[in-house]
Amino acid sequence: MTRSTAQPLIALLLRDLKRARRHGGQSLLPLVFLFSVVAMIPLGIGPGPNLLQAIAPGMIWVAALLSGLLALDGLFKSDFDDGTLEQWWVGEQPVVRLVMVKLCSHWLITALPVIALTPIAAQMLYLPNEALGLLLLTLLLGTPILSLVGGLASALTLGTRQGGALLGLLIFPLIVPVLIFSTGAVSAYLDGLPVRPYLLLLVALLVLAMSLVPLATAAALRLNIE
Amino acid sequence: MKPYLVASQVSFHRHSEAVFQPVDLNLLPAALCVVTGANGSGKTTLIRTLAGILPVSEGSLERNAAMAFIGHRPGIKDDLTCIENLSFMQRFYPSHPTREALGAHQALKQAGLGCHVRRLAGHLSAGQRRRLALARLLVSPADVWLLDEPYTSLDTAACQWVDGLLDHHLASHGAAIVTAHQRQPALTHTIDRLEVIAGARAT
């Protein structure tokens, strides 16, 4: 890609990041969500290290998934409402690339802070340090899938007025395998079993999602523009 | 001269019914085409089809030039300042290399927004927002301008500014398609007219 074709993409990414920074309160929501879950769980089920350690990967993963979901509703909505989205079809830039940039900014805004602060959350739930690296790896592989699948659901529900509930219904069945393989990998590691198959499955899901979902998202956006 | 845009028997179907009667158009450099028609006759749909936002259902459309489309929704982010909006547009929209591009500050000054550079776009009035949207034509110049009701909510001075922009654009071999149902462009150049007639469903 030459510099001139990359420039609009970079401009779009920087604009989204700038807007996220401007809405600081909203951008911190995923982190608030993560730590609410991590702080509430011991209060709800008791602070015993053994129990917490067993559920830690699952809890952190569920918190990461749900916090990623929070920002999905508005992913394309604001661009759609103010007319920026329809401009995507006027230029010569392939829409799939622009979709990738939007999904990338969603991941940077919602998933990256959660991943960055997961070590602290893992400490709070007594997750053994040696399992932390693996948990972070599954998050790095799995959260982009959430952004991709979520982006597709967000594009499909763009025209509906109350898309929020529908969005959840569309995403959950598709994201369940990611949750199972990710938490399965960490549990297997804690039990001394091999983790390679889980990770390979995650990578396969990520590759599949990265190659197909942007195309579907672009098509879904086009349908809503009409 | 090679036409910027050739449309032959172009129509767009919504729910398998034609929104407007098929349109023929041959847009040459330095030509301005004003699209007229009653409310609901499909002016906006036509210009969106020509811009490439809507797919061509029937007929053929050939686009040979960089286009800039400014529609009802101005494509401005309320939570960014005027200058941030315009700088983004400058980088996001392709500009034709041989056309003269203004800097964002200069363009804002021309648009009459010189004293609102650091103001959030959300705090602007409707007319000022439209001026900001139109200022994009100065920072990322394209060969063909597709303007959907550019005069809406503009005051007399701003309307004359738009006329001046169009005149200058045509003088430098640009072309434009403008929909207008109230104020018509008052230019020194000649204007072609294209009457849009609603499709079968509405009649």
Side-chain angles (χ1 to χ4, degrees), chain A residues 92-225:
Chain A
E92 273 134 42
Q93 192 75 244
V95 175
V96 175
R97 277 192 202 158
L98 296 162
V99 167
M100 289 290 266
V101 170
K102 283 300 271 192
L103 297 178
C104 191
S105 74
H106 174 262
W107 185 82
L108 287 174
I109 292 163
T110 62
L112 196 60
V114 168
I115 295 176
L117 293 190
T118 289
I120 300 174
Q123 279 295 317
M124 291 167 75
L125 295 176
Y126 298 100
L127 188 79
N129 280 336
E130 58 270 25
L132 178 63
L134 184 62
L135 177 64
L136 289 176
L137 182 61
T138 62
L139 281 169
L140 279 173
L141 290 173
T143 45
I145 306 180
L146 173 72
S147 292
L148 284 158
V149 171
L152 175 59
S154 171
L156 283 170
T157 55
L158 196 57
T160 58
R161 205 157 292 173
Q162 297 289 327
L166 195 58
L167 194 71
L169 279 177
L170 282 170
I171 294 174
F172 281 132
L174 293 169
I175 211 71
V176 161
V178 178
L179 182 66
I180 291 173
F181 295 139
S182 302
T183 54
V186 183
S187 304
Y189 180 79
L190 290 174
D191 296 337
L193 297 169
V195 297
R196 216 173 115 88
Y198 293 101
L199 293 179
L200 289 180
L201 279 166
L202 270 180
V203 172
L205 283 175
L206 179 60
V207 170
L208 189 69
M210 275 178 98
S211 46
L212 293 180
V213 170
L215 294 172
T217 308
L221 288 174
R222 175 98 205 212
L223 278 179
N224 277 302
I225 290 287

Side-chain angles (χ1 to χ4, degrees), chain B:
Chain B
M1 267 187 298
K2 199 177 176 194
Y4 283 141
L5 189 143
V6 183
S8 48
Q9 292 292 303
V10 162
S11 67
F12 171 72
H13 293 200
R14 190 172 276 137
H15 307 302
S16 66
E17 281 176 278
V19 177
F20 51 81
Q21 305 270 338
V23 167
D24 283 306
L25 181 68
N26 203 355
L27 192 70
L28 290 166
L32 172 71
C33 176
V34 175
V35 179
T36 54
N39 287 139
S41 57
K43 295 190 293 291
T44 295
T45 311
L46 170 66
I47 204 164
R48 281 163 66 91
T49 310
L50 295 177
I53 297 167
L54 300 175
V56 176
S57 304
E58 263 171 35
S60 73
L61 178 65
E62 188 192 320
R63 302 195 295 162
N64 306 318
M67 297 203 178
F69 168 78
I70 297 179
H72 289 288
R73 289 178 288 188
I76 293 169
K77 290 286 172 205
D78 285 352
D79 48 10
L80 295 180
T81 61
C82 293
I83 190 74
E84 285 169 340
N85 266 302
L86 205 56
S87 309
F88 166 71
M89 294 189 218
Q90 189 174 23
R91 276 172 294 164
F92 186 73
Y93 298 114
S95 65
H96 200 275
T98 60
R99 290 192 179 275
E100 177 197 2
L102 288 185
H105 280 278
Q106 234 180 324
L108 276 182
K109 207 171 283 171
Q110 261 210 34
L113 297 168
C115 49
H116 301 292
V117 172
R118 309 232 167 268
R119 210 164 158 202
L120 288 183
H123 297 167
L124 296 178
S125 75
Q128 286 173 321
R129 291 163 66 83
R130 188 146 283 271
R131 284 170 184 236
L132 179 57
L134 289 164
R136 180 194 133 190
L137 298 171
L138 298 170
V139 296
S140 57
D143 293 323
V144 178
W145 295 356
L146 303 168
L147 309 179
D148 192 9
E149 303 283 356
Y151 298 108
T152 310
S153 59
L154 289 184
D155 58 19
T156 321
C159 287
Q160 282 162 0
W161 172 63
V162 175
D163 286 343
L165 285 183
L166 280 169
D167 253 336
H168 184 259
H169 183 55
L170 296 179
S172 57
H173 292 284
I177 301 176
V178 176
T179 68
H181 75 275
Q182 282 173 332
R183 189 186 192 279
Q184 299 291 318
L187 304 185
T188 50
H189 285 78
T190 52
I191 297 174
D192 302 323
R193 286 190 193 280
L194 177 70
E195 171 95 22
V196 184
I197 302 160
R201 184 171 47 153
T203 49

Side-chain angles (χ1 to χ4, degrees), chain A residues 22-23 79 82 86-87, chain B residues 48 55 69 75 77 79 84:
Chain A
R22 197 150 291 177
H23 300 280
D79 282 358
D82 65 23
E86 60 190 20
Q87 297 286 351
Chain B
R48 281 163 66 91
F69 168 78
K77 290 286 172 205
D79 48 10
E84 285 169 340

